[in-house]
Amino acid sequence: MSLVLDPAAQDLLFREARTANTFTDEPVTDEQVQAVYDLVKYGPTSMNQSPLRVTLVRSAEARERLVQHMAEGNRQKTATAPLVAILSADNEFHEELPALFPHFPQAKDAVFGDRVVRENSAALNGALQAAYFIVGVRAAGLAAGPMTGFDFEGVRKEFLDDDHTPLMVVNIGRPGPDAWYPRSPRLAYEQVVTTV
């Protein structure tokens, strides 16, 4: 059985897409970021909780503050990417649930009244949304360089607050020279899928 999605789109989003390690200096506009969000906001999350929050790092001063928290191997690419996004999970996402999940407005307190429950759910669903965000960046014809090699607590203190948990930092832009490492192997279908 073939997929319904056009093969060129399949390539753009998955088969030919890679984590970019260098970028050109072509700017990434607010309009491009808005278009990415307007697409990926429809990706499903549990009870439509939508905990992902995106902090765009544009100014030179903010970039310097971020780079100091990146792992050594990630500093140069973060310093030179046209745009950097800090993706975090909002642990107070439940405050929006009466509007986002109107057929069960009590979920705010009945399901997510406990902070630990909220943090676990925000981490899982925020990671789902982060994946959608990366695919959305690719759909915009841009390259994404998602990274978890950074000081999470340092980034939280520098850019967020105690109600937000950093998930990843994503460099965004047009791929530059030698942007790609060789494609790494993937598991075979039989290694992943079991029928019971």
Side-chain angles (χ1 to χ4, degrees), residues 51 53 88-92 115 156 160-166:
R53 301 296 179 262
S88 63
D90 181 358
N91 296 310
E92 296 297 314
R115 174 72 179 212
R156 183 204 306 260
L160 307 169
D161 59 34
D162 289 341
D163 289 331
H164 292 79
T165 301

Side-chain angles (χ1 to χ4, degrees), residues 19-131:
T19 294
N21 294 289
T22 68
F23 298 90
T24 69
D25 58 3
E26 181 180 334
V28 176
T29 67
D30 289 335
E31 292 76 19
Q32 287 171 301
V33 177
Q34 178 77 51
V36 168
Y37 176 72
D38 286 342
L39 174 65
V40 304
K41 68 184 179 184
Y42 294 108
T45 58
S46 175
M47 299 176 81
N48 199 33
Q49 60 190 251
S50 307
L52 183 71
R53 301 296 179 262
V54 180
T55 303
L56 299 177
V57 180
R58 287 200 181 274
S59 73
E61 179 269 334
R63 184 77 59 109
E64 287 178 20
R65 288 170 35 222
L66 177 59
V67 167
Q68 70 180 344
H69 296 291
M70 301 303 295
E72 183 64 38
N74 292 332
R75 289 181 180 168
Q76 181 63 26
K77 50 191 167 185
T78 301
T80 58
L83 180 63
V84 182
I86 301 169
L87 305 188
S88 63
D90 181 358
N91 296 310
E92 296 297 314
F93 69 85
H94 69 310
E95 296 294 342
E96 305 293 339
L97 279 182
L100 293 176
F101 205 60
H103 52 284
F104 184 27
Q106 314 88 295
K108 173 184 178 286
D109 298 312
V111 179
F112 297 109
D114 181 78
R115 174 72 179 212
V116 173
V117 170
R118 283 199 310 277
E119 287 178 353
N120 290 337
S121 194
L124 172 63
N125 288 280
L128 277 174
Q129 288 187 285

Side-chain angles (χ1 to χ4, degrees), residues 4 48 138 150 152 157 187:
V4 174
N48 199 33
R138 293 171 174 178
F150 62 91
F152 279 66
K157 287 179 180 176
L187 293 174

